Amino acid sequence: MVDYTLAVGTHDPQVVSAENDGDAISRSVGFVVGQYADDMQNFGQEVVTLLGPSGLLTRPSERLDEFVHRIPSVAAAIETDHLQTGDTNTPDCNGD
């Protein structure tokens, strides 16, 4: 088992032990769903960072609500009947 570091927003980083990168992502998503359910509902924009022995496993500035969708079975169980900023493809006021 290899140790990975998971950080969610401003919460203290957690150690996740896993066999490989895929297992680390799966375990981290499970941990996030169990520990940060309220944050997912209220602060989905918080950044998640998963760092392994070979480097960063999350995208730079990957959002909490995006991270949990890496595991389709977990994402299907999460309530998705509300919209948040960025959930649609409408352009912003700057035309980007």
Side-chain angles (χ1 to χ4, degrees):
M1 297 281 265
V2 179
D3 287 340
Y4 292 77
T5 303
L6 172 68
V8 178
T10 59
H11 300 286
D12 290 336
Q14 301 291 319
V15 174
V16 177
S17 295
E19 294 293 329
N20 54 45
D21 291 353
D23 186 35
I25 291 170
S26 180
R27 289 175 186 250
S28 296
V29 167
F31 180 80
V32 165
V33 169
Q35 295 295 314
Y36 300 111
D38 289 337
D39 285 0
M40 284 189 308
Q41 293 294 331
N42 300 315
F43 306 106
Q45 74 278 3
E46 285 194 320
V47 174
V48 175
T49 304
L50 182 59
L51 185 61
S54 60
L56 190 62
L57 297 178
T58 49
R59 292 184 309 277
S61 301
E62 184 166 348
R63 292 170 49 122
L64 176 60
D65 54 5
E66 294 173 337
F67 181 69
V68 296
H69 283 85
R70 287 183 171 226
I71 308 297
S73 61
V74 172
I78 297 172
E79 183 180 337
T80 58
D81 65 347
H82 66 279
L83 290 176
Q84 297 180 21
T85 305
D87 285 347
T88 63
N89 288 332
T90 56
D92 66 14
C93 61
N94 295 320
D96 292 332

